[in-house]
Amino acid sequence: MKPEIDPSQPQTTIQIRLADGTRLVAQFNLSSTMESVYSFLSNARPTDGREFVLQTIFPMRVLERSAKTIEEEGLKNGTVVMRWKS
């Protein structure tokens, strides 16, 4: 499954390191929201109802499920890590 992309808008690639150690690479528009990244990941890799968060690597910060865009979060061509909520 791929996120919906508007080819007329700027795009970026995001690498997601999943909680099981595998990697997933996906294209998004820079204007895509963090909500759409979380939704994409939930659909691409079913979590069996487990809650997760996405975070940056360095400096480590949690990326909230929100209306902030990928560009606003500074994730252009970035890498994020998926962690299970405890």
Side-chain angles (χ1 to χ4, degrees):
M1 170 167 202
K2 295 183 178 183
E4 257 186 58
I5 300 286
D6 180 347
S8 69
Q9 298 297 311
Q11 300 171 27
T12 189
T13 301
I14 296 180
Q15 180 180 193
I16 304 165
R17 292 185 188 166
L18 303 175
D20 66 5
T22 59
R23 294 177 190 212
L24 181 63
V25 178
Q27 287 281 124
F28 293 91
N29 289 113
L30 286 175
S31 60
S32 296
T33 64
M34 290 308 300
E35 175 65 39
S36 64
V37 176
Y38 271 85
S39 294
F40 163 74
L41 191 51
S42 293
N43 290 324
R45 294 286 196 269
T47 60
D48 296 325
R50 287 182 75 181
E51 289 189 45
F52 65 92
V53 295
L54 297 176
Q55 64 187 44
T56 59
I57 296 173
F58 186 82
M60 195 283 292
R61 66 184 169 90
V62 173
L63 301 162
E64 300 293 333
R65 189 175 197 141
S66 70
K68 281 191 172 181
T69 67
I70 289 172
E71 188 168 34
E72 289 172 329
E73 290 287 12
L75 296 177
K76 185 175 181 181
N77 297 317
T79 299
V80 296
V81 177
M82 174 189 182
R83 300 271 186 237
W84 297 120
K85 279 190 174 180
S86 39

